[in-house]
Amino acid sequence: MKGIRQLAEHLDISIGTVSRALNGKPDVNEETRKRVLEAAKSLGYVANQSGRALRKGSTGIIGFMMQTGPEITGHGDTFFMSVFDGVQAVFARHKLDLVALLCSSEEDPLDYLKRVVARGFADGIILSSTRRHDPRLELLARRKIPFITLGRSLTDVGQPWIDLDFEGIAQASIERLVERGHRHIAVTRPHDDTNLGYIFVDRCRDVLTRHGLTLANEHIFRSLPNERGGYQIARELLACEERPTAILLVNEMLATGLYRGLSEAGMVPGRDIAVIGRQSPHSHFLSPRLTAYGLKHRDLGVALAETLLATMPGYAAAYAQRPARVLWPMTLEPGESDGNGPADRRN
Amino acid sequence: MKGIRQLAEHLDISIGTVSRALNGKPDVNEETRKRVLEAAKSLGYVANQSGRALRKGSTGIIGFMMQTGPEITGHGDTFFMSVFDGVQAVFARHKLDLVALLCSSEEDPLDYLKRVVARGFADGIILSSTRRHDPRLELLARRKIPFITLGRSLTDVGQPWIDLDFEGIAQASIERLVERGHRHIAVTRPHDDTNLGYIFVDRCRDVLTRHGLTLANEHIFRSLPNERGGYQIARELLACEERPTAILLVNEMLATGLYRGLSEAGMVPGRDIAVIGRQSPHSHFLSPRLTAYGLKHRDLGVALAETLLATMPGYAAAYAQRPARVLWPMTLEPGESDGNGPADRRN
């Protein structure tokens, strides 16, 4: 791909003349115009691009920043791909393109984002995997780049956000399990500083306390968001001093490995231990069927895109009614994995 | 994010002066420089970006074009995410960033790519999901944009490619099954015009013919690359006039659904039908264990990135030894799903 500079050098005429020729300005003589257009074609000049972006102050591209890495996306985290579909449906109305900004798990997310900002090719940004403290939010606010976060953070610069309702599923799940007689309930949280881990565990603890129960430290399992993480949780669970009778999985990739780990110890979800998780394309194929929270990924993508556009000049009017901050609901689909409580077996 | 134009308008001075002030040129008086720098800060001007790209003729970004959609990525196609990891490892050496160009399955891939080219923000492109005839290759060649394809096509513009060795797995799998006494072997192919479907089915047919066998039309199943596709194949397989005793799955997302569909009919892979598939993060958790072909996704990503860079000025020297076209090997990991052949049961 050649730019205007290479074209001008090749023709040995000024960039300004080349530009005027390419743009059909009248002050270029016919022969020069012909030479320029022919060279543009043969050299593969791309009618372009950065110069146009510079003049318009926009690129037509929205970036969705996500973390990649063998331990994360390599193991089948399909969440984002489903959300993208909804995001794209909205952007297509406005001839905007979505690109995934792939931040390797080996790189600091802030350093990565600084480089993205410096390259300046995105009109707006969707940030995911928000951390407990997240300097990326301050960076984008300082640079006045329109953005929205999928997830909250203690760092709050007044930006719009949509977050999954982890308080809601913590509350409903603990109530459900306590009602069925469970007294020793385990929970999981991400391996890293992702904000949702704090929200989820805190609410679980609150609800248990209200019922006069405690969340034992040995019943809080940290894990990577993949099958191996779920398998590891099964091993740790079996080694607990006080074995929990129920477990809540905060990540949708854990169930398959957990099932496998339990089955190796002769334990069946729903019979020997209650399991409540989150739906994934794969959880539907588990046996016994997983009791799990589902959500409409595509709708979430639509909401993210529209809420972002509501903050962007030129698009805001169409989406002004969008609330800027939303807890996204998840719905329980009962399966067989949380079966009867230990109380039932005692009767 | 404000561009230089907005900055100039805000200050009511020329773009040229603003640019010279921002770039520390000596012909701008101190007071103007101060005003410009203060306004740049308060308006969130991004030292930028498109202008710089225009001058350098490069953006530092490589795009990886992939198709997205509820029927594809929404159902857990994790192949690409694992490959990205290797691609990024190479690009990180050169301060290049990888972005995923997400082409919605509802859009024509050529139209999408034309827009990407016009936006001009990628120095090079990796194309995937190559079709039998693929005009995207001609577009990029015409525009002289460095690119590589993951997959072949009848359209050949001399570009480098890496393709998975579908001939290899067709040949080895058919030989393995025929040797175990199978005479009615079914195969799958993608629902669309993806090139690998032709390569795979043609080679299966050739090898069967060499053994005096035929590939019946009712034994060629088209499917979407997801669990539901696999489940549908099980239904169609059970309805065949001549029920096949073995099946080869060309896509790694099919096994889970196929297992489910077979189990609903009381059939067990490896006992009632031989199944050979491809490994995925989920196939490891299937029971009985899937006999499947695996590949090193990260290494494939490294090879794609290095082979692309070998064609790009400024990077070529380091990667000159890379062969431009490679059939990528896949390795059989025997499981229990292709068990004994029908011949064994007859003995």
Side-chain angles (χ1 to χ4, degrees), chain A residues 210-230:
Chain A
R210 221 177 305 143
H211 286 283
L213 301 170
T214 51
L215 178 55
N217 277 335
E218 69 160 357
H219 291 169
I220 303 172
F221 301 108
R222 282 189 181 265
S223 81
L224 285 162
N226 57 35
E227 289 85 355
R228 206 148 41 79

Side-chain angles (χ1 to χ4, degrees), chain A residues 28 41 55 68 83 87-88 120 125 138 162 178 185-186 190 212 217 228 233 244 252 270 286 317 321 346:
Chain A
V28 182
K41 198 172 164 192
R55 289 191 302 276
T68 60
V83 172
V87 174
Q88 286 179 302
I125 289 181
E138 293 160 331
I162 299 181
V178 168
I185 300 171
N217 277 335
R228 206 148 41 79
I233 288 172
E252 65 270 36
L286 286 172
Q321 315 88 319
R346 277 198 297 270

Side-chain angles (χ1 to χ4, degrees), chain A residues 48-62 94-97 119-124 145-146 309 312-315, chain B residues 1-6 46 48-51 115 118-121:
Chain A
N48 135 325
Q49 105 210 29
S50 307
R52 197 171 287 165
L54 193 59
R55 289 191 302 276
K56 281 179 53 189
S58 75
T59 61
I61 293 164
I62 308 287
H94 304 285
K95 299 272 174 213
L96 291 168
D97 280 316
R119 296 206 199 281
F121 67 98
D123 288 346
I145 297 173
L309 291 181
M312 293 175 64
Y315 306 100
Chain B
M1 179 172 62
K2 298 291 179 179
I4 197 164
R5 188 209 182 100
Q6 284 78 11
V46 182
N48 126 334
Q49 106 208 34
S50 307
R115 209 166 56 238
R119 297 207 200 279
F121 67 98

